[in-house]
Amino acid sequence: MDVNAAVAAAAAIAGVLTGVIAMLAFRWSEREQKRPTRTSLHTDPVLPPGVDTVLSVLRSSAVVLDEADAVVKASSAAYALGLVRGGKLAVEPMLQMARDTRRDGEIRQVELDLPRRGTGRGEALAVSARVAPLGSRLVLLLVEDLTEARRIEAVRRDFVANVSHELKTPVGALSLLSEAVMDAADDPEAVERFAGRMQIEATRLTNLVQELIDLSRVQNDDPLEDAEAVRVDELVAEAIDRCRHQAGTKQITMAANVGGGPVGTSDEGGGGRRAGTADLQIWGNRGQLAAALGNLVENAVNYSPARTRVGIAARRVPAPGGDLIEVAVTDQGIGISEKDRERIFERFYRVDPARSRHTGGTGLGLAIVKHVAASHGGEVTVWSSEGQGSTFTLRLPEAGVARDRATDHTSGLADDVDAGQPDGTTTVTSPTTSPYESLSAPEVLP
């Protein structure tokens, strides 16, 4: 009996030990299965806590690479720039930088020119790439697009160079003329002649400085901060008054038609303006709008032969986002060639430099018009045919529509529009006649 009890107890103890050992073996096996291996670390890397959130708010294009140069994380901007393709970093110089950084842990930075995706014109993207280690196994690549910054810097360099050249010409002329006056002190006729030339060059210099100030102002100021409803017929009358003397000297007929009625006419016995002319209003900065339209009319007069006609017409046209006001200035001048039409809104660009010097032009007038149109939410277009004349058209939102847009903070449309770029302008060509020749006959102004 004692022997049987001892055997049973031993068997029970053995069974318990076996169960304990089996349970421990099972737990150990589970733990080994959950423990990360080299393979799992390699195929399923995990970003350090918070890195994913930080990368999502960065303005730079971000790419995270693992030990095998596979992309663990990439922002949408990185894909848009073409940095990542098929789960791999597609730019070899950046890939080599990442490998070097992974090897020695040093932060590296370089500027590169990358081919632009989807274009066959050889255009390049200028980027700045910075590579840094991220933890013990990952590498972070940040790429900043410098293309726009370089373009703006090039525009500024060209602008400074052009300004220096334009200022140097009248200043040099004044210096030479003053010496000539001193040498001809005993010749009253020569002194008078040289003094006249000095006055012309001084006026040219004054106009250049003033237009530089105007251009800077329209680029930097928000025209809708002090906006008001501006009547189009008043703008047209002001532009005509500004150029009346030049037109009279060349016997150029100036005509205006606003909203189907001539500017400044009176109904018989009533003394008021024709009905409908005061309905055309633009919401904006009166000074800038007057300067833009005045520049267009002044160009039309300066580039028109003697005894020709310059017309100003305004009308309301329907548009999907609200009615627009069109103000067109038509001349019978020399016209503009097709190659020049693409560049006439550039700063300091002149179709005929010799003629511009003769008329006192600075090459900034149309650039100012372009910026004013863009900052007011509109555009300026041009139709021209060599030998037949030109029509420049300002299209601007009507007062009510523009006022609503201003309250929605949508007035920042003139963001350093580059001279030489077609932003804010549209070139319209036609082989036959100006689109405004069919308007009702305008009043002829003396």
Side-chain angles (χ1 to χ4, degrees):
M1 190 72 177
D2 292 337
V3 175
N4 291 335
V7 171
I13 293 171
V16 171
L17 291 174
T18 302
V20 170
I21 293 172
M23 184 180 64
L24 291 175
F26 178 74
R27 291 291 179 85
W28 180 82
S29 176
E30 276 190 337
R31 187 177 298 174
E32 286 297 315
Q33 290 179 2
K34 291 182 178 180
R35 181 179 297 173
T37 62
R38 282 184 170 272
T39 303
S40 65
L41 283 173
H42 176 72
T43 59
D44 188 22
V46 179
L47 291 176
V51 172
D52 196 9
T53 303
V54 173
L55 295 183
S56 65
V57 298
L58 285 177
R59 297 182 60 183
S60 304
S61 302
V63 181
V64 179
L65 303 175
D66 64 8
E67 294 173 320
D69 293 333
V71 175
V72 177
K73 175 75 177 179
S75 64
S76 58
Y79 286 99
L81 286 178
L83 303 179
V84 179
R85 297 174 190 170
K88 295 288 186 180
L89 186 61
V91 183
E92 184 60 33
M94 296 182 186
L95 187 59
Q96 186 59 47
M97 287 173 59
R99 291 168 180 167
D100 295 340
T101 296
R102 188 185 300 112
R103 184 180 65 251
D104 55 26
E106 292 185 4
I107 297 176
R108 289 174 168 81
Q109 184 167 349
V110 68
E111 292 188 2
L112 301 170
D113 290 331
L114 306 179
R116 190 186 296 268
R117 296 183 64 187
T119 63
R121 299 192 299 269
E123 298 178 353
L125 288 172
V127 299
S128 173
R130 184 179 180 87
V131 180
L134 186 64
S136 59
R137 298 179 299 106
L138 303 179
V139 173
L140 172 63
L141 170 66
L142 296 176
V143 179
E144 191 77 25
D145 188 355
L146 304 178
T147 307
E148 184 67 12
R150 284 192 179 180
R151 184 186 67 83
I152 293 174
E153 184 61 31
V155 169
R156 287 174 179 169
R157 286 197 304 268
D158 292 343
F159 183 72
V160 171
N162 287 329
V163 168
S164 302
H165 175 74
E166 294 296 331
L167 289 174
K168 182 174 64 176
T169 302
V171 169
L174 286 172
S175 177
L176 291 175
L177 288 169
S178 64
E179 293 179 5
V181 168
M182 294 177 63
D183 294 339
D186 297 332
D187 187 350
E189 292 184 2
V191 169
E192 184 177 357
R193 184 172 67 255
F194 292 141
R197 287 295 307 164
M198 290 178 67
Q199 188 174 15
I200 293 174
E201 293 298 334
T203 301
R204 179 183 175 190
L205 182 60
T206 301
N207 292 339
L208 175 59
V209 172
Q210 183 59 51
E211 291 202 348
L212 285 172
I213 294 172
D214 292 341
L215 181 60
S216 176
R217 183 176 295 128
V218 300
Q219 285 184 243
N220 297 327
D221 293 349
D222 182 357
L224 302 186
E225 283 185 357
D226 301 317
E228 58 180 318
V230 183
R231 287 172 47 159
V232 175
D233 56 351
E234 294 178 353
L235 291 177
V236 173
E238 186 175 337
I240 291 174
D241 287 339
R242 171 178 169 177
C243 303
R244 193 181 299 274
H245 175 70
Q246 297 98 305
T249 302
K250 299 174 67 174
Q251 299 181 20
I252 292 176
T253 301
M254 300 187 70
N257 185 314
V258 178
V263 174
T265 58
S266 300
D267 296 329
E268 238 181 275
R273 294 180 183 273
R274 179 174 298 189
T277 61
D279 292 342
L280 301 185
Q281 296 185 357
I282 300 170
W283 184 258
N285 184 292
R286 182 185 183 88
Q288 292 190 16
L289 293 171
L293 185 57
N295 285 344
L296 291 180
V297 176
E298 187 174 9
N299 276 358
V301 172
N302 287 338
Y303 286 90
S304 293
R307 294 178 294 279
T308 55
R309 177 178 174 274
V310 171
I312 305 100
R315 63 183 180 181
R316 179 187 292 108
V317 295
D323 289 349
L324 299 176
I325 302 298
E326 282 191 353
V327 184
V329 179
T330 303
D331 63 60
Q332 297 173 320
I334 59 176
I336 306 170
S337 66
E338 185 175 355
K339 66 180 182 66
D340 289 321
R341 280 196 293 270
E342 299 297 329
R343 301 190 59 189
I344 55 175
F345 293 99
E346 294 181 20
R347 302 163 185 165
F348 298 108
Y349 185 80
R350 299 183 178 94
V351 175
D352 185 351
R355 188 180 183 88
S356 295
R357 285 193 295 270
H358 177 70
T359 60
T362 62
L364 290 173
L366 290 180
I368 293 174
V369 174
K370 176 181 177 179
H371 282 288
V372 170
S375 65
H376 284 76
E379 64 175 357
V380 57
T381 64
V382 57
W383 170 94
S384 188
S385 179
E386 290 187 86
Q388 296 186 31
S390 305
T391 296
F392 286 84
T393 304
L394 272 172
R395 290 190 182 91
L396 299 167
E398 198 172 11
V401 178
R403 183 168 56 247
D404 294 340
R405 292 182 182 177
T407 58
D408 293 334
H409 305 288
T410 58
S411 60
L413 297 177
D415 230 1
D416 198 6
V417 182
D418 171 33
Q421 297 292 331
D423 305 339
T425 63
T426 304
T427 301
V428 181
T429 59
S430 170
T432 54
T433 59
S434 165
Y436 278 83
E437 269 194 17
S438 61
L439 293 179
S440 57
E443 178 200 16
V444 176
L445 302 177

